[in-house]
Amino acid sequence: MIKNWEAQDEPEHLRTIRDRIMRSGEQRTGRLLGLCQQILQQGEIIADETAEQTELRLTGLVVKRDGKLRIFNRIYAEIFNQEWCEKELAKLRPYAVTLNFWVASQRQDESRLLRGQALQDAQAWAVGKSLSDLDYQYLAASQDVEKRDIKVALEIQKEATEKANQILHQAQSKAKQTIRFGFVLSSMFVLLAFIFTVLLPWLAIFFNNRGFAKYENNQIQSAIQDYELALILKPDYVPALYNQGLAYEKLQDFNNASANYEYAILKNKNFAPAYNNLARLYITQRKDYLTAVKLLNQALQIPVKNNLDVEDLSAYKNVEYVIFKNLGWAYFELKRYSEAKKALNQAINLDNQRGSAYCLLAQVLEASNQKNKSKAEWEKCLQFADPNHPDDKEWLKLAKQRLKY
């Protein structure tokens, strides 16, 4: 009964207790699971009649005896044990993946700790929950490293300001002997303007570029740290926001990745890569194909390309193929095959040496009862698809099945 309770729970009893805990909403479920952990660890806790204790009692899992809360009976304690609580709580944790890596490193790998927006989201999630000691240790360690990184950035900023002030002081001393006070004052403003308009933005660019180099070397958490430093120096720096989104995707932290792309769009409505990557997450993670179509069409409707600055135009050209490919993908999932075929052919017209559009077009043709035409597209899929890309990798398997390789 204990080992196979979910299959043998007839009439339903244990599943009812589980569902009362798990269907309380994410915030309240986290609190109830944390409270269960406390009771299991200590054997019993003092009953204080709080809302969460009352709710846990109503699930039937615990009972109040002699002013203490304890698990109702030994069968419940065996089924809803520490391992079960930990497993269910891990599903709710926004940082479950990085926490596991940190623990596996004997809590030594600082690159697995949270920083920036990821840390803020985790702290907001933890509010009101009775978490395990491991959770609190992880969040505290993350906060310590975050403070240290901010301190480093501020020290860099301070050193730059002190250097500028030193130069300014020297300029003032010399100027007093040769020019009027009014000119010195204006020089001070010019130099300060130089610090805030040139020096700090330059440092932001430096940290962003260094972060991207680390990202390409698969030092993902370290890259995120550099992007955070860039954003401290220049909060609305869109390339750093976008690159940080890429890094979060690499860690499969899709919530933070989406937040970064959304903020990048908010700050620069002409930055096409952010629309594209956000749309792809709506396709692959949320299965919200209509929103994906909306985002991709917004990218395609960015104001007249001739009016874009060099950076935005370059960004648009780099992802134009992928925008049409993802648009075709979203239409395919919506079973709007005519529109899917049109978008995918536009992608192929832009670059006929890339495989993903062929892979999708073959599937569109099959789904729209044109299997006789799909073979040629599967062959091109097999020829051009990138085996290292997660999407292409799956489609290559399909291509081999269809062509019987």
Side-chain angles (χ1 to χ4, degrees):
M1 181 175 68
I2 290 172
K3 290 183 178 179
N4 301 298
W5 67 271
E6 288 181 289
Q8 300 184 43
D9 190 28
E10 296 294 342
E12 186 174 293
H13 176 75
L14 298 170
R15 288 201 299 268
T16 301
I17 295 174
R18 177 201 62 192
D19 292 345
R20 284 173 179 168
I21 295 173
M22 301 310 298
R23 293 176 183 172
S24 300
E26 182 177 319
Q27 185 81 359
R28 298 191 69 81
T29 294
R31 292 181 182 180
L32 296 182
L33 289 170
L35 189 56
C36 286
Q37 284 187 316
Q38 282 187 323
I39 297 171
L40 288 164
Q41 287 166 0
Q42 301 172 29
E44 60 185 16
I45 63 172
I46 295 173
D48 57 16
E49 305 300 332
T50 60
E52 65 183 33
Q53 283 197 7
T54 301
E55 188 169 352
L56 189 59
R57 287 174 61 191
L58 290 173
T59 68
L61 178 60
V62 300
V63 63
K64 179 182 175 182
R65 292 184 184 134
D66 302 324
K68 304 284 183 67
L69 277 191
R70 62 190 70 176
I71 302 299
F72 189 80
N73 58 48
R74 289 177 60 191
I75 292 176
Y76 290 0
E78 286 290 331
I79 291 172
F80 303 104
N81 56 19
Q82 283 281 12
E83 184 180 353
W84 180 84
C85 288
E86 180 65 27
K87 180 180 175 183
E88 296 303 326
L89 193 58
K91 292 177 183 177
L92 300 177
R93 286 182 182 129
Y95 50 83
V97 174
T98 50
L99 172 63
N100 291 336
F101 278 120
W102 183 66
V103 172
S105 73
Q106 305 298 317
R107 309 185 186 190
Q108 298 301 310
D109 187 356
E110 289 189 351
S111 71
R112 301 300 181 177
L113 296 172
L114 303 173
R115 292 167 174 84
Q117 190 62 47
L119 177 58
Q120 293 174 31
D121 291 344
Q123 289 171 325
W125 176 82
V127 170
K129 293 184 174 69
S130 301
L131 302 179
S132 67
D133 289 343
L134 177 62
D135 285 275
Y136 290 122
Q137 289 165 11
Y138 182 67
L139 293 174
S142 297
Q143 194 169 14
D144 289 342
V145 172
E146 169 89 337
K147 289 178 180 176
R148 187 191 67 195
D149 289 346
I150 292 174
K151 183 179 179 182
V152 169
L154 292 174
E155 285 174 354
I156 292 172
Q157 182 178 343
K158 181 181 177 182
E159 287 175 10
T161 304
E162 287 175 351
K163 184 68 175 177
N165 285 334
Q166 186 180 9
I167 295 170
L168 179 59
H169 181 70
Q170 292 171 353
Q172 284 178 296
S173 299
K174 187 175 180 180
K176 285 179 181 178
Q177 302 171 11
T178 57
I179 55 178
R180 297 176 304 168
F181 176 75
F183 182 75
V184 175
L185 190 61
S186 64
S187 297
M188 289 172 60
F189 285 116
V190 168
L191 192 53
L192 288 173
F194 170 79
I195 293 170
F196 288 101
T197 62
V198 177
L199 189 57
L200 296 186
W202 178 86
L203 283 171
I205 293 169
F206 167 78
F207 282 119
N208 177 63
N209 292 343
R210 191 174 77 171
F212 192 73
K214 290 178 179 178
Y215 170 83
E216 291 190 316
N217 287 324
N218 210 34
Q219 299 171 272
I220 308 303
Q221 283 288 1
S222 185
I224 289 175
Q225 295 171 33
D226 278 350
Y227 296 139
E228 284 298 330
L229 291 173
L231 291 168
I232 288 170
L233 296 166
K234 190 177 179 183
D236 297 339
Y237 189 27
V238 170
L241 286 166
Y242 174 77
N243 287 337
Q244 192 176 54
L246 292 176
Y248 280 131
E249 274 203 70
K250 197 82 168 180
L251 293 177
Q252 297 188 330
D253 184 349
F254 301 117
N255 288 335
N256 273 319
S258 296
N260 272 66
Y261 297 143
E262 287 169 357
Y263 194 55
I265 292 170
L266 180 67
K267 293 302 173 182
N268 183 355
K269 297 189 182 301
N270 294 331
F271 195 68
Y275 287 96
N276 177 71
N277 284 29
L278 182 58
R280 185 181 176 281
L281 289 180
Y282 270 98
I283 293 172
T284 60
Q285 302 304 314
R286 303 184 185 182
K287 312 301 180 186
D288 184 349
Y289 308 116
L290 285 173
T291 300
V293 166
K294 179 181 177 182
L295 286 164
L296 293 164
N297 278 322
Q298 283 180 300
L300 293 172
Q301 292 165 13
I302 286 172
V304 182
K305 309 304 179 293
N306 293 337
N307 292 338
L308 296 181
D309 62 34
V310 174
E311 185 177 286
D312 286 342
L313 183 59
S314 174
Y316 181 90
K317 291 297 182 184
N318 285 336
V319 297
E320 191 173 10
Y321 168 92
V322 190
I323 291 172
F324 278 114
K325 181 268 291 184
N326 285 336
L327 184 60
W329 189 358
Y331 279 136
F332 168 60
E333 297 291 354
L334 289 167
K335 297 181 171 53
R336 292 161 61 172
Y337 301 129
S338 176
E339 291 161 292
K341 186 176 178 181
K342 180 180 177 182
L344 293 168
N345 279 322
Q346 286 175 295
I348 292 167
N349 288 336
L350 288 168
D351 188 344
N352 61 9
Q353 301 294 305
R354 296 172 72 172
S356 51
Y358 291 120
C359 302
L360 282 162
L361 184 56
Q363 295 173 70
V364 170
L365 291 170
E366 285 186 350
S368 56
N369 298 317
Q370 300 179 64
K371 288 186 178 181
N372 58 320
K373 297 181 180 179
S374 66
K375 183 179 178 181
E377 309 305 329
W378 281 124
E379 288 173 345
K380 290 175 183 175
C381 170
L382 197 61
Q383 180 182 359
F384 295 118
D386 179 2
N388 295 316
H389 192 283
D391 300 332
D392 286 15
K393 188 176 181 179
E394 293 302 313
W395 294 331
L396 278 169
K397 291 180 185 177
L398 276 178
K400 290 176 181 178
Q401 290 173 9
R402 298 296 194 271
L403 298 172
K404 297 183 179 179
Y405 272 76

